[in-house]
Amino acid sequence: MNSPRLKTVLSMQPSPEPVTVCGWVRTRRESKGLCFLEINDGSAVESLQVVIDLRADGLAEETPRAGTGASVEVRGTLAASPGTGQAVELQALSLRVIGEAPPESYPLQKKRHSFEFLRGIAHLRPRTNTFGALMRVRNGLAAGIHAFFQERGFVWVHTPIITTSDAEGAGELFQVTTLPLERLPLADGRIDYARDFFGKRAGLTVSGQLEAEALALALRDVYTFGPAFRAENSNTSRHLAEFWMVEPEMAFCDLAGDMDVAEAFIKFILRWVLDRCPLDMELFDRWIEPGILATLRKVVETPFVRITYAEAIDALGKAQASFEYPASWGADLQSEHEKHLTEKVFQGPVIVTDYPKAIKAFYMKLNDDGKTVRGMDVLVPRLGEIIGGSEREADAEKLRARIREAGLDERDYSWYLDLRRYGSAPHAGFGLGFERLVQYVTGMANIRDVIPFPRAVGSAEF
RNA sequence: UCCCCUGUAGCUCAGCUGGUAGAGCAGGUGGCUGUUAACCACCGGGUCGGCGGUUCGAGUCCGUCCGGGGGAGCCA
């Protein structure tokens, strides 16, 4: 059994030479003596129409078992279709139902389902048009990400999943332990992590950035593309407990260079997926987010607006819009502010730089004003922040001061400080939430619908 | 974690101010030589999320728990 994919068959010319195809039945339409099966194998959005003459030998008996959801093998000849809606169709010579899908219990019907319902059957939803297209676009974006960095000579590095450092501060880590939870070993009344598997407290990584910095300061340009985990109790359409993150890190690079790469990166992968998944993208443009294709094409061609945080606050202050929270220097930009900047003022991606140091991470390079840091966020319409990045603090003493200010223990960061003690160099990087990118590109409203099996607070089914 | 909305047939939903449950689609059967949201006819299908309360009477009102969604915060 080694039949061609339906995508291949759909592009073939009509021929009297029989072909064998396999797939799952999407719909079945019956008339007297004639049956139309729509079959799909996930290799393309389009399905193949199979025409069955119910008066032919053997076909009438097998056809009733080929209901919606059943897997079938059809041998037939490809012919030009007299009907509208498809160029070619398969005239069945033989039909074999491989696996039945009892119609009274098969959850997927030949009609549209709500995403809420499909979330409850995450193991079957990839068989729908939307999720098929989604997985193919997701794959296209992942391939485009690797292509972008590989073409530019970046080295893909694999940073640890289990870690004992925490780039963002404490409290959001999933703890990893082999200690018996029902009787924890104590030392002076506190949990004795010395007796844990790693001899100290460990968790799942929230970011590979710190380790990526170590590799960039040896290999120059590197990137990570792997899973990250956050145990935050946030229940929104933009957060997952387990998600994939892309984090380039570049030595001998400043904030301006960082922004250049970020902008080129977004444009490259958008162009990549528009070129390679046109039919899948049409589905999203038609059913999920009308206008998304035009928007993405425009983003590819238009320079991203670059403003400082101070300028953003200024623009927001002048806005006619009434905000729930007024924009004032020192406070982080609210969702409503990000939306206003990207959707109303600039109508496209905006890069905001030079945030107050108090609202950004300790590793960002301090500006000469002593108040702001060399951080940048790429904001996009509808989603807000899609990329967060910065030039890193390369001065050991300034970094040590920032660690102390942040209330962190310097001893936990000794290896990180070493990177500045020995052959320090300016370096910069950014992080992109992969699922947020998929959301941005497809227009899908909920992040739980852009990953096959979502993990979020209170929910880790399948 | 906070605020708001929501839970009725397999799915999507209707059910006004309390009087004992309905539509469309899906499914089954039959009809129709080319359908593509197929069409036409008939049929089956519900502890109205759980528990408790008010009431002669609760899908409807109240309390509580559970599930789902949207927004906020935090962030990617």
Side-chain angles (χ1 to χ4, degrees):
Chain A
M1 194 152 80
N2 199 3
S3 57
R5 292 194 186 96
L6 285 181
K7 188 188 172 93
T8 310
V9 174
L10 284 163
S11 64
M12 283 164 36
Q13 294 301 313
S15 157
E17 189 66 29
V19 287
T20 301
V21 301
C22 294
W24 291 272
V25 176
R26 281 291 167 77
T27 73
R28 182 176 59 185
R29 296 180 290 273
E30 262 181 290
S31 295
K32 185 171 189 180
L34 203 57
C35 177
F36 299 92
L37 286 186
E38 203 83 32
I39 71 170
N40 186 289
D41 71 349
S43 60
V45 205
E46 317 101 283
S47 298
L48 176 68
Q49 173 163 283
V50 174
V51 187
I52 298 170
D53 183 349
L54 294 171
R55 292 164 309 184
D57 286 345
L59 290 174
E61 293 73 48
E62 192 74 341
T63 302
R65 301 205 303 131
T68 303
S71 54
V72 296
E73 181 187 70
V74 188
R75 198 174 118 84
T77 53
L78 203 64
S81 177
T84 55
Q86 61 280 317
V88 292
E89 63 186 20
L90 193 73
Q91 311 271 1
L93 297 169
S94 68
L95 165 71
R96 183 166 74 89
V97 174
I98 300 168
E100 276 189 85
E104 63 278 7
S105 63
Y106 185 61
L108 290 173
Q109 303 170 356
K110 53 181 191 183
K111 53 168 279 191
R112 300 189 74 186
H113 291 288
S114 68
F115 288 124
E116 290 82 2
F117 170 69
L118 292 173
R119 248 167 253 157
I121 48 166
H123 57 310
L124 295 173
R125 67 179 184 172
R127 299 188 190 185
T128 64
N129 287 333
T130 304
F131 282 92
L134 196 95
M135 290 309 137
R136 289 185 297 271
V137 167
R138 191 181 156 102
N139 166 70
L141 288 167
I145 285 164
H146 282 298
F148 175 84
F149 290 120
Q150 293 296 325
E151 278 180 18
R152 279 163 182 73
F154 282 61
V155 176
W156 182 23
V157 296
H158 303 93
T159 49
I161 305 292
I162 296 174
T163 178
T164 53
S165 48
D166 175 4
E168 317 279 319
E172 65 212 344
L173 243 72
F174 281 103
Q175 204 173 329
V176 173
T177 181
T178 53
L179 291 176
L181 296 177
E182 59 285 353
R183 44 181 181 84
L184 292 166
L186 301 178
D188 301 328
R190 307 180 70 174
I191 297 166
D192 185 8
Y193 285 108
R195 294 170 66 180
D196 202 352
F197 189 89
F198 299 106
K200 62 199 290 193
R201 194 172 177 169
L204 295 177
T205 183
V206 296
S207 160
Q209 183 198 311
L210 302 192
E211 289 91 349
E213 284 184 52
L215 291 155
L217 290 166
L219 295 158
R220 183 155 177 156
D221 296 321
V222 303
Y223 70 105
T224 70
F225 188 178
F229 308 87
R230 307 237 171 132
E232 277 151 4
N233 184 13
S234 55
N235 202 309
T236 80
S237 54
R238 304 182 302 281
H239 291 264
L240 289 168
E242 176 182 289
F243 63 101
W244 288 67
M245 194 149 60
V246 180
E247 295 177 292
E249 194 69 34
M250 300 160 283
F252 308 108
C253 179
D254 62 8
L255 185 66
D258 200 30
M259 286 192 279
D260 290 343
V261 173
E263 181 171 344
F265 171 65
I266 294 285
K267 288 177 171 173
F268 180 96
I269 52 185
L270 292 188
R271 206 178 295 120
W272 178 282
V273 81
L274 287 169
D275 287 349
R276 280 159 218 255
C277 307
L279 294 175
D280 292 318
M281 287 305 300
E282 263 174 37
L283 181 148
F284 293 107
D285 193 59
R286 181 166 177 202
W287 299 108
I288 305 297
E289 177 83 9
I292 186 75
L293 275 174
T295 303
L296 296 179
R297 288 192 190 113
K298 190 180 154 212
V299 167
V300 167
E301 293 157 4
T302 316
F304 289 11
V305 173
R306 299 185 186 189
I307 57 171
T308 64
Y309 168 85
E311 288 165 343
I313 294 296
D314 202 42
L316 291 165
K318 288 181 188 145
Q320 300 297 318
S322 58
F323 297 119
E324 194 178 341
Y325 300 91
S328 66
W329 204 97
D332 208 350
L333 297 180
Q334 305 285 315
S335 289
E336 56 179 343
H337 301 149
E338 297 180 347
K339 278 197 167 72
H340 184 81
L341 290 172
T342 56
E343 293 170 14
K344 295 276 161 36
V345 183
F346 300 110
Q347 295 176 16
V350 180
I351 309 182
V352 182
T353 61
D354 301 288
Y355 286 83
K357 67 174 181 178
I359 59 173
K360 287 294 178 185
F362 72 90
Y363 49 72
M364 295 191 184
K365 181 180 167 70
L366 193 63
N367 275 317
D368 293 339
D369 63 12
K371 296 191 301 182
T372 57
V373 289
R374 309 242 73 194
M376 62 107 174
D377 286 349
V378 180
L379 311 177
V380 296
R382 202 178 67 242
L383 279 182
E385 184 182 342
I386 195 169
I387 280 179
S390 67
E391 182 174 343
R392 320 305 189 189
E393 183 55 75
D395 181 281
E397 279 318 306
K398 286 182 184 165
L399 181 61
R400 186 177 286 125
R402 292 294 317 274
I403 288 173
R404 265 191 245 107
E405 270 176 39
L408 300 169
D409 190 341
E410 194 184 313
R411 287 168 301 181
D412 293 339
Y413 295 88
S414 65
W415 68 265
Y416 189 65
L417 284 160
D418 267 0
L419 303 175
R420 280 74 176 169
R421 280 192 204 104
Y422 311 121
S424 185
H427 61 291
F430 60 83
L432 167 111
F434 184 56
E435 281 72 21
R436 293 237 178 121
L437 175 72
V438 181
Q439 262 191 293
Y440 178 59
V441 168
T442 59
M444 293 292 286
N446 196 311
I447 201 166
R448 297 179 191 204
D449 298 328
V450 300
I451 187 167
F453 299 103
R455 272 87 181 89
V457 209
S459 157
E461 300 305 311
F462 307 97

